[in-house]
Amino acid sequence: MFQHDPLRELFNAVTSADMVNQMKHSQPKVEFAITKQHASHLINTHNAHPLKDGTWEIRVTPRVRSILKYKPETDTYTLSPCVKEDEAGDGRSYFADFLNRINEHYTFEKRFRLYKYYMRIHDDAKNLLVTDTEFERKFMETDSFNAVILSADIRDSSALVNLEGNEQKFPEFIARIIEELSECVCRNFGIYDKFTGDGILAFFPDFYSEENAVIHALNCAEECHKLYSKIYSEYKEYFGVAEHGLGVGISYGKVWQSGTQTEFTTVGKPVVTACRLSGAESGHTYVCEDTWKEICRLKHDSLFNMASDKKSFNSKGRDYPMKDICPVSIKELNNLAGKVKPSWCISQM
């Protein structure tokens, strides 16, 4: 995901309230100039179909397209919405129907909530969120649910912040971490919640990640460890710390959605537990007892070894029962996650 994401801006533009009436009758005059690098990224990562004269049609949702057009005079591309008429031919786009529906049924606060979800979930789920009202309702009307919570913490981050001479590199490093770990969460059927200051928080709800949410969270954790090591290796010369890693905490239980607008988040005891357990030793993943019970319920405990004999973790004066686990085989865990992906997912992992 690029820092400047043209498809994100496209969605933001056409979902703004003042564009709904315009979209009922004609194609809105929305166009973005983007670089060749962005154009290549969109063509390679989305359902793009070549048309003619360097023009591509890119799928935003099953019913909404955007047009990517090359301009040789400036050696750049432009991206604009492609609005399609419905079968009745009354000039309204399917996407406008979606906008009308959410404007009619949801308050401004909840529309903001929908947009936040749209930008933080798997690409297949984005398509359904726009086109499937039942799928949409799960996100908008489910206020409490069971979920696996993943908290990933950059261990001893203060040591990196305080090193002299890295004032410019540290923000760049953090931006890379947020970008790649949040993408990892979405790719593994989780929902990226927020950046916590020195890590990320994500959740894998039963209504979205489905029965094997804990497997997707554990697979995500392994990928996060690997991604962090890769990114840190590119920056360690600036920080002067040879070895550095993430601590990951994973919990399971009932949580609630709370907050308003951009501060909308997930709360509950499992969130606190996961955040405490993310104080794990660098490179390790700690799971609470309820998480381990969920792994055993699914009969996947044989896929994991104990990385240490620790049975509790003390954080802020309180002992949290836990297990320090690691997969017997990362490849085997990844293969299992691919086999038990959510029913709504149509993509290959």
Side-chain angles (χ1 to χ4, degrees):
M1 184 185 299
F2 285 85
Q3 291 284 343
H4 165 70
D5 188 332
L7 277 185
R8 177 179 298 189
E9 293 188 6
L10 176 65
F11 184 82
N12 189 28
V14 297
T15 52
S16 61
D18 61 351
M19 301 217 40
V20 174
N21 288 331
Q22 191 179 159
M23 284 194 71
K24 285 183 181 179
H25 305 291
S26 63
Q27 180 166 317
K29 304 300 181 184
V30 180
E31 186 175 87
F32 298 95
I34 65 174
T35 66
K36 292 174 74 174
Q37 182 187 18
H38 279 96
S40 177
H41 169 71
L42 290 172
I43 291 168
N44 291 330
T45 58
H46 291 78
N47 190 5
H49 300 282
L51 299 178
K52 60 180 181 178
D53 302 326
T55 300
W56 293 76
E57 184 182 70
I58 297 178
R59 167 176 161 174
V60 179
T61 77
R63 293 173 177 170
V64 181
R65 305 289 189 268
S66 59
I67 297 297
L68 182 66
K69 188 171 185 179
Y70 179 62
K71 291 194 170 182
E73 62 272 18
T74 57
D75 196 31
T76 59
Y77 284 81
T78 59
L79 185 71
S80 58
C82 173
V83 180
K84 298 199 171 193
E85 294 186 355
D86 61 18
E87 293 178 358
D90 63 0
R92 294 184 304 165
S93 72
Y94 287 111
F95 202 47
D97 290 339
F98 165 70
L99 300 180
N100 286 333
R101 186 174 73 251
I102 66 171
N103 282 328
E104 179 181 349
H105 291 100
Y106 300 126
T107 62
F108 173 77
E109 303 282 341
K110 286 205 169 185
R111 290 200 299 273
F112 220 106
R113 169 173 165 178
L114 182 69
Y115 179 61
K116 177 176 178 178
Y117 273 133
Y118 182 88
M119 299 318 307
R120 297 171 184 230
I121 56 178
H122 193 280
D123 283 346
D124 288 353
K126 289 180 182 180
N127 295 337
L128 282 173
L129 197 60
V130 172
T131 61
D132 188 319
T133 55
E134 288 302 315
F135 193 75
E136 170 197 311
R137 192 172 293 118
K138 291 178 182 179
F139 287 85
M140 302 304 290
E141 299 178 9
T142 307
D143 291 321
S144 65
F145 47 87
N146 287 328
V148 179
I149 309 297
L150 182 152
S151 176
D153 181 80
I154 301 172
R155 303 309 302 133
D156 198 21
S157 59
S158 58
L160 304 183
V161 175
N162 295 329
L163 283 172
E164 194 172 333
N166 75 340
E167 291 84 357
Q168 293 181 331
K169 286 296 177 182
F170 186 74
E172 181 184 305
F173 169 71
I174 289 296
R176 281 281 307 282
I177 294 298
I178 297 170
E179 178 183 1
E180 298 212 22
L181 297 195
S182 62
E183 283 187 347
C184 179
V185 169
C186 297
R187 190 167 58 247
N188 282 283
F189 316 117
I191 300 175
Y192 171 63
D193 193 344
K194 60 187 174 185
F195 176 61
T196 60
D198 53 5
I200 65 163
L201 185 67
F203 60 109
F204 297 73
D206 55 5
F207 69 82
Y208 171 70
S209 309
E210 299 184 353
E211 186 179 23
N212 287 277
V214 68
I215 296 301
H216 299 308
L218 288 163
N219 195 49
C220 179
E222 290 305 312
E223 287 190 31
C224 285
H225 284 305
K226 184 177 179 180
L227 282 169
Y228 185 88
S229 296
K230 173 182 173 292
I231 297 168
Y232 186 75
S233 69
E234 299 172 19
Y235 286 86
K236 66 181 180 182
E237 63 179 289
Y238 303 106
F239 299 131
V241 180
E243 298 298 329
H244 205 264
L246 291 176
V248 175
I250 296 179
S251 63
Y252 174 76
K254 187 175 182 178
V255 294
W256 288 261
Q257 298 193 90
S258 180
T260 60
Q261 296 185 22
T262 56
E263 298 305 314
F264 192 78
T265 188
T266 301
V267 299
K269 183 179 177 182
V271 177
V272 175
T273 301
C275 291
R276 295 289 182 262
L277 293 180
S278 66
E281 185 179 343
S282 177
H284 286 241
T285 298
Y286 291 175
V287 302
C288 73
E289 287 186 322
D290 286 339
T291 304
W292 183 250
K293 288 178 182 177
E294 183 66 3
I295 296 169
C296 294
R297 183 187 71 80
L298 294 170
K299 299 181 180 179
H300 293 315
D301 49 304
S302 61
L303 291 176
F304 300 93
N305 285 328
M306 299 300 143
S308 72
D309 58 2
K310 291 187 69 169
K311 291 182 171 54
S312 67
F313 178 73
N314 187 277
S315 176
K316 298 188 176 182
R318 177 179 172 182
D319 285 328
Y320 290 83
M322 44 68 70
K323 293 185 185 297
D324 180 4
I325 69 172
C326 61
V328 174
S329 164
I330 294 176
K331 183 178 180 180
E332 192 174 340
L333 175 60
N334 187 256
N335 287 341
L336 173 63
K339 291 177 182 177
V340 297
K341 62 185 182 182
S343 58
W344 48 260
C345 179
I346 58 174
S347 302
Q348 296 296 319
M349 285 190 69

